[in-house]
Amino acid sequence: SWPRLGEALVSKAERERRPYLDPDRPVEARVKDLLGRMTLEEKIRQMGYARSELFAPDGRFSPALAKGFFKGMGIGGVEDPRLGGGVSARFINTVQRFIKRNTRLGIPALICCECLHGHMAPGATVFPRAIGLASTWQTDLVEKISGAIAREARAAGAAQALALRSEEHTSE
């Protein structure tokens, strides 16, 4: 059988040394362990967000700039570099690998992207803006479009999309 993700990424010895990395432990115990290890500055940085240009001004990851930015600590989120599909995904994998290997706790960053009317990256599909979609009154169409945007963003490595929320309202 295939190892679970946590087992594949972290050795058994490391999971014993740092219980927050052990997927077999209860979530509450892992959170308690992790928070107990974090400094105040690390906790504050986990609430922060960084534009990828800070360590990749030309769209190419710079280990030297990243080292200066991260200073051995993580960050809560990193903006999708908007390089397009596979290029973005490779860039994001490089950033996550750097964070895992070069920060004290190795907490991955949440990768966030703009998706108001499509994933904002070269080659992504651009859809009508929300007001145009709303005027169609076709909630099933809007749902399909949202799904297409989500798939494109996820394929580029993003885990969180900044997008409009749609709700169906009735007169009941």
Side-chain angles (χ1 to χ4, degrees), residues 34 38 47 62 71 90 102 123 128 143:
L34 178 60
M38 294 175 78
M47 294 187 287
S62 166
K71 298 178 180 140
R90 284 188 295 279
N102 296 281
E143 189 173 323

Side-chain angles (χ1 to χ4, degrees), residues 56-130:
D58 60 357
R60 284 178 280 193
F61 181 76
S62 166
L65 290 175
K67 187 175 183 179
F69 174 78
F70 287 107
K71 298 178 180 140
M73 293 180 284
I75 190 79
V78 172
E79 181 183 42
D80 165 26
R82 299 181 185 181
L83 300 171
V87 178
S88 282
R90 284 188 295 279
F91 175 89
I92 289 165
N93 286 340
T94 301
V95 170
Q96 297 289 34
R97 197 169 21 260
F98 179 89
I99 290 170
K100 183 179 185 313
R101 294 177 181 163
N102 296 281
T103 63
R104 190 173 77 85
L105 298 170
I107 303 168
L110 181 64
I111 307 301
C112 185
C113 64
E114 292 283 345
C115 292
L116 290 177
H117 55 98
H119 178 221
M120 302 289 283
T125 309
V126 177
F127 294 96
R129 293 198 176 254

